[in-house]
Amino acid sequence: MSADRGLNELTAHELSELLGAREVSAQEVLAAVCQRVDEVEDEIHAYVLQTRDVAEAQAKDIDERRARGEDLPPLAGVPLALKDIYCTKSIETTCCSKILKGFVPPYDADVIERCRRNGLVFVGKTNMDEFAMGSSTENSAFGVTRNPWDLDRVPGGSSGGSAASVAGSEAVVGMGTDTGGSIRQPASFCGVVGLKPTYGRVSRYGVIAFASSLDQVGPITKDVRDCALMMNVLAGHDPRDSTSIDAPRPDYTKALGLDLKGLRIGLVKEFMEYQGRGIDAEVAAAIGAALERFCELGAECDEVSLPHLDYSIPVYYIIAPAEASSNLARYDGVQYGHRTPDDDGDIIEMYSRTRDEGFGAEVKRRIMLGTYALSAGYYDAYYLKASQVRTLIRQDFDRAFERFDVLVGATSPTVAFRLGEKTDDPLAMYLSDVCTIPVNMGGLPGMSIPCGFSADGLPIGLQLVGKALGEETLLRSAHAFEQSTDYHRRQARPISAGDGRRSAVARG
Ligand code: GLN
């Protein structure tokens, strides 16, 4: 199965078989990944920190345990890229903000503990928009990441580094967080699979908070089976997160390979147009073709309208900044990371200088928006009103799920855009998440899988949305679709030609 592909280009489930059969060692797999990182990282810049020493020790440990005959979990020895938003014990964690530069957490996030227990190998911490605020990874304090399919384009965001690392075969699996689309939109732009689980399915303990009522952790992978395997690692109850759902974790791989007979799939009108404006024609055509494919696979397909979805962006840009302004109040130069001292020793002056120097423009914009919306006298008009409209959005989903098992549409209205194209226009950037944000409003699981390519060879993503705790139905639908296509097999091949930035080539 690996005749024409390097070890770093295989999926996690393919590697799992080879590792289990002792045909390759975890150290060999890691070496292949590191070699690719050395070749392409100068151009892609998926990582803000490579943790090679940690990875080598982990891979060696896995190989030794396997040699002793220990029964290891399926993903033991598989190289993983971690968004720089999870607290990792003794490994610097910055959320790609200057204000956290130098912060070394004394503990692991719940999801990191789970990855360690499962023997995943930590290649490094990946680039992201500062505090996960953005859709292109251009808001990082530590430089941009380039899309492996076209180095002049963004990888999406905010989990752009993780998506680019998987698409560029600089890691085998990746992890992101999704507050309004930050797993699904970069997965779509980079031609990989991304899943945002149901709110509460994966613990947020030790994950740096952006908007606490919306944030979720999830996997970014090369195919749907890898996604299911990663969900087996990540999901589960955690008493340290008060919003964690106390429900048994299924074996998500059991959902794979089932047919779609009788499954009711609804194409969401509002995922195909926003306030009367259609999404890109190429994206719309690919989604239309995907729906036809679902019908051929035995699903019953129809259209559905969720009228309140048009309010998602305005509602999100009240709720998310309001919660962020509260969560980010803790960065004051006293407890964490960066401090800009005041010459006269004035503490208020120290706070404000620290925050002025430590935060980037987009983060400051959100803190101001959020502080305003939560001010005395404005709470009712903004946050409360937005919360009420959020309920209407959720009720639209409830109604749609009386008729359908899965809702589908575009993940993003466009393919990956050019670096710099939207940096001067925050509102245009915000629209990039018009199809993903409603799903976070409802706390529902949402997934993006590759469903085609534009004429320029850029990946197009199909979004699938499920009922609360309906991850298995999503994985089942996504897997059936994926197995009837070859989009997930194409590889981005970033070229380092030494003559500036050149486009990636797709291989069928
Ligand atoms: N792009 C959206 C924002 O800027 C969503 C980000 C996210 O999901 N973390 O807030």
Side-chain angles (χ1 to χ4, degrees):
M1 68 189 154
S2 58
D4 62 339
R5 288 183 290 156
L7 289 174
N8 58 309
E9 294 178 315
L10 301 187
T11 60
H13 59 88
E14 287 168 336
L15 285 172
S16 176
E17 276 183 33
L18 295 176
L19 287 160
R22 298 209 214 165
E23 282 177 40
V24 296
S25 70
Q27 290 170 95
E28 284 166 341
V29 175
L30 176 65
V33 165
C34 291
Q35 193 190 330
R36 170 62 68 103
V37 171
D38 291 343
E39 282 164 15
V40 300
E41 184 58 6
D42 273 356
E43 308 210 43
I44 295 181
H45 188 235
Y47 292 96
V48 287
L49 180 72
Q50 293 181 40
T51 50
R52 227 163 254 200
D53 293 352
V54 176
E56 277 163 9
Q58 287 171 321
K60 187 162 173 279
D61 176 56
I62 292 297
D63 287 340
E64 286 170 1
R65 284 163 60 191
R66 206 178 308 268
R68 286 200 297 269
E70 222 178 284
D71 199 15
L72 296 172
L75 295 185
V78 171
L80 165 71
L82 293 164
K83 187 177 186 177
D84 198 19
I85 197 168
Y86 314 107
C87 284
T88 39
K89 189 174 178 182
S90 307
I91 302 173
E92 187 182 9
T93 300
T94 68
C95 236
C96 290
S97 178
K98 253 175 38 193
I99 211 154
L100 276 174
K101 189 79 196 116
F103 171 57
V104 179
Y107 71 108
D108 278 329
D110 177 74
V111 287
I112 299 298
E113 287 176 354
R114 288 173 191 269
C115 290
R116 287 194 202 272
R117 276 205 298 278
N118 280 275
L120 284 141
V121 170
F122 299 175
V123 185
K125 309 290 290 277
T126 58
N127 201 14
M128 56 181 282
D129 289 295
E130 183 179 5
F131 286 105
M133 297 174 189
S135 309
S136 66
T137 311
E138 292 165 298
N139 293 337
S140 166
F142 307 125
V144 300
T145 296
R146 293 171 185 273
N147 190 317
W149 292 93
D150 179 341
L151 298 170
D152 292 328
R153 295 186 187 251
V154 302
S158 63
S159 314
S162 286
S165 72
V166 174
S169 300
E170 292 186 80
V172 175
V173 289
M175 275 163 56
T177 58
D178 190 314
T179 305
S182 281
I183 289 174
R184 290 159 288 160
Q185 185 257 21
S188 161
F189 281 13
C190 290
V192 290
V193 173
L195 171 64
K196 179 202 91 71
T198 307
Y199 183 76
R201 179 72 285 195
V202 176
S203 170
R204 291 181 295 112
Y205 173 79
V207 181
I208 295 174
F210 164 10
S212 306
S213 75
L214 301 162
D215 299 344
Q216 254 306 276
V217 175
I220 295 177
T221 59
K222 290 180 183 168
D223 71 5
V224 177
R225 182 168 293 279
D226 281 5
C227 181
L229 285 164
M230 277 300 287
M231 280 301 290
N232 282 353
V233 171
L234 300 176
H237 181 235
D238 175 16
R240 296 168 297 186
D241 171 357
S242 62
T243 60
S244 169
I245 298 174
D246 192 359
R249 176 186 64 70
D251 175 357
Y252 289 102
T253 61
K254 294 249 165 68
L256 310 178
L258 305 175
D259 71 37
L260 299 190
K261 294 230 165 48
L263 194 83
R264 298 164 306 165
I265 295 187
L267 176 70
V268 178
K269 187 171 148 270
E270 289 75 14
F271 285 170
M272 305 300 281
E273 61 174 50
Y274 177 66
Q275 295 185 336
R277 269 186 45 205
I279 61 171
D280 271 16
E282 281 183 308
V283 177
I287 305 300
L291 198 69
E292 275 175 33
R293 178 59 58 93
F294 276 118
C295 299
E296 287 159 23
L297 291 168
E300 294 165 14
C301 305
D302 203 351
E303 277 194 33
V304 59
S305 172
L306 282 68
H308 294 100
L309 258 50
D310 272 357
Y311 298 107
S312 300
I313 295 252
V315 166
Y316 176 86
Y317 280 99
I318 301 286
I319 292 179
E323 295 183 9
S325 72
S326 163
N327 277 326
L328 271 58
R330 72 190 67 170
Y331 305 107
D332 55 7
V334 176
Q335 305 173 78
Y336 304 93
H338 173 84
R339 173 186 300 177
T340 315
D342 174 55
D343 298 339
D344 303 327
D346 182 324
I347 191 164
I348 302 293
E349 198 53 28
M350 185 279 284
Y351 290 153
S352 77
R353 281 180 189 217
T354 296
R355 288 168 69 83
D356 189 29
E357 267 192 22
F359 289 134
E362 183 62 26
V363 174
K364 286 181 193 164
R365 187 176 297 131
R366 308 267 181 125
I367 291 173
M368 285 192 282
L369 277 172
T371 307
Y372 180 84
L374 292 179
S375 312
Y378 292 128
Y379 175 86
D380 288 356
Y382 295 108
Y383 193 81
L384 187 66
K385 181 60 98 191
S387 302
Q388 289 164 338
V389 180
R390 181 176 180 179
T391 302
L392 295 176
I393 293 169
R394 198 187 163 111
Q395 288 170 346
D396 275 2
F397 278 112
D398 290 345
R399 262 191 295 278
F401 281 120
E402 286 168 12
R403 280 178 57 207
F404 297 100
D405 302 302
V406 177
L407 300 175
V408 299
T411 305
S412 186
T414 65
V415 292
F417 44 88
R418 289 182 189 285
L419 283 151
E421 194 178 317
K422 299 192 192 217
T423 36
D424 294 333
D425 186 352
L427 292 181
M429 189 72 89
Y430 295 172
L431 280 179
S432 181
D433 301 299
V434 65
C435 308
T436 46
I437 281 176
V439 183
N440 301 69
M441 296 281 157
L444 303 172
M447 192 167 179
S448 181
I449 57 171
C451 75
F453 286 85
S454 71
D456 292 340
L458 296 166
I460 297 172
L462 170 76
Q463 182 176 212
L464 303 108
V465 183
K467 298 177 191 172
L469 293 181
E471 282 83 0
E472 290 160 285
T473 313
L474 286 190
L475 290 163
R476 168 187 165 199
S477 317
H479 188 250
F481 176 83
E482 174 193 83
Q483 293 304 302
S484 75
T485 68
D486 76 343
Y487 305 122
H488 60 294
R489 292 214 183 82
R490 300 198 199 172
Q491 307 256 358
R493 297 234 180 226
I495 307 171
S496 351
D499 59 347
R501 316 240 170 250
R502 302 231 332 243
S503 293
V505 251
R507 180 177 65 99

